[in-house]
Amino acid sequence: MPSAMRQAIARHMTYSKQQIPHYYLTMRAEMSAALDRREDWNLSHGTDDAISVNDLVLKATALALAAHPAFNGHYQDNAFRGQPHVHLGMAVALEDGLIAPALLHCEARSLVEIARASRDLAARARQRVLKAEEYTAATFTVTNLGMFGVESFGAIIVPPQVGILAVGAAIPTPILIDGELATARLMHLTLSGDHRATDGAEGAQFLAAIVRHLQEPAALFAG
C-alpha cells in the first residue's frame, strides 16, 4: 500500500497531467564559466557559504522570472494571477516521495543567501519541520536530477503554478569552435509550461533568459 504522501503525490500529478495542457522546451546551457566561477568561490569561502550547481540555477531562474512575470504565479478559476514575489519551489527527495517546498523571496536574495537558505530548506524538509507557507507559497518550481547523472527530462507542473524547470547534469561534450574541436560542459534545461497561461514563444524567451544568466554568470554573483 503506498504511503499517504505517495497517494497525495499521485493525485496531484494525475490532476496536473489530465487538466493542464503541458508544452515542453529544451535548451542547453554552456556551464564552463559558471562552474569555474563557482569553484573559485567555494575555494575562497567557508563551507557555510558554499554554492551548489542547483543554487546557480535557482538564482538564474529568479532573475529570469523578474523579467518574465508571466511564469511567476498561479492559474486558478480560469485566470492567471501573477505574484509580486518569487517563491521558488525546490524539489527535495524524501524516502516516501518528492516534495517541493518554497524558497521564499528569491527576488531579494543574493546567490550566497539562496545557497544558505536552500541548504536550510532541504534539511528542514527531511526533518519534516517546514513552515505552512513553505508547503503552499511556491510560484515556480525547479527540479534537478543532475546529481544522479540524468542528462535530460521533462517534469510535471505543480498546480496551481504555470511552469517547472527540469535540470540535468552538466556533461563534458565535444563541440566545434571556429572549426577546432573543444570540450564544453553542457547542461540540458527543460521548461514545462501551462499552455492556458503562456505559449511556446514566451517560454522560449524565458528559458533563453535562464540560459543567458548561466552562461554569463556575472549577474549571478553580483550583490
Side-chain angles (χ1 to χ4, degrees), residues 10-156:
R11 287 193 301 271
H12 286 300
M13 295 300 95
T14 299
Y15 171 86
S16 179
K17 289 295 286 184
Q18 290 179 342
Q19 300 299 321
I20 298 176
H22 286 56
Y23 66 85
Y24 303 93
L25 304 171
T26 300
M27 293 184 181
R28 298 189 301 181
E30 209 293 284
M31 293 293 292
S32 295
L35 294 177
D36 288 346
R37 189 150 183 176
R38 167 183 172 259
E39 183 178 2
D40 291 343
W41 173 277
N42 287 347
L43 286 173
S44 60
H45 291 76
T47 303
D48 289 343
D49 288 342
I51 293 167
S52 71
V53 174
N54 200 55
D55 297 326
L56 296 173
V57 177
L58 289 168
K59 179 63 176 180
T61 302
L63 291 173
L65 284 170
H68 298 271
F71 290 88
N72 189 61
H74 298 151
Y75 190 88
Q76 294 173 307
D77 300 324
N78 298 315
F80 173 73
R81 292 175 170 80
Q83 301 298 312
H85 301 292
V86 176
H87 302 322
L88 288 180
M90 186 182 75
V92 179
L94 307 179
E95 289 184 1
D96 51 351
L98 187 74
I99 63 173
L103 192 63
L104 303 174
H105 300 288
C106 288
E107 80 283 356
R109 294 181 187 262
S110 68
L111 178 58
V112 70
E113 288 170 339
I114 285 176
R116 293 169 183 164
S118 67
R119 285 193 296 273
D120 173 68
L121 187 68
R124 289 189 293 106
R126 296 185 180 104
Q127 296 164 7
R128 313 297 174 97
V129 290
L130 293 170
K131 301 171 185 176
E133 66 176 332
E134 291 170 335
Y135 282 107
T136 61
T139 57
F140 185 89
T141 290
V142 173
T143 178
N144 189 342
L145 292 176
M147 67 286 292
F148 298 109
V150 174
E151 295 186 27
S152 179
F153 67 107
I156 301 173

Side-chain angles (χ1 to χ4, degrees), residues 163-183:
I164 185 170
L165 183 70
V167 183
I171 304 293
T173 306
I175 61 171
L176 286 176
I177 300 177
D178 297 328
E180 298 292 330
L181 189 63
T183 299

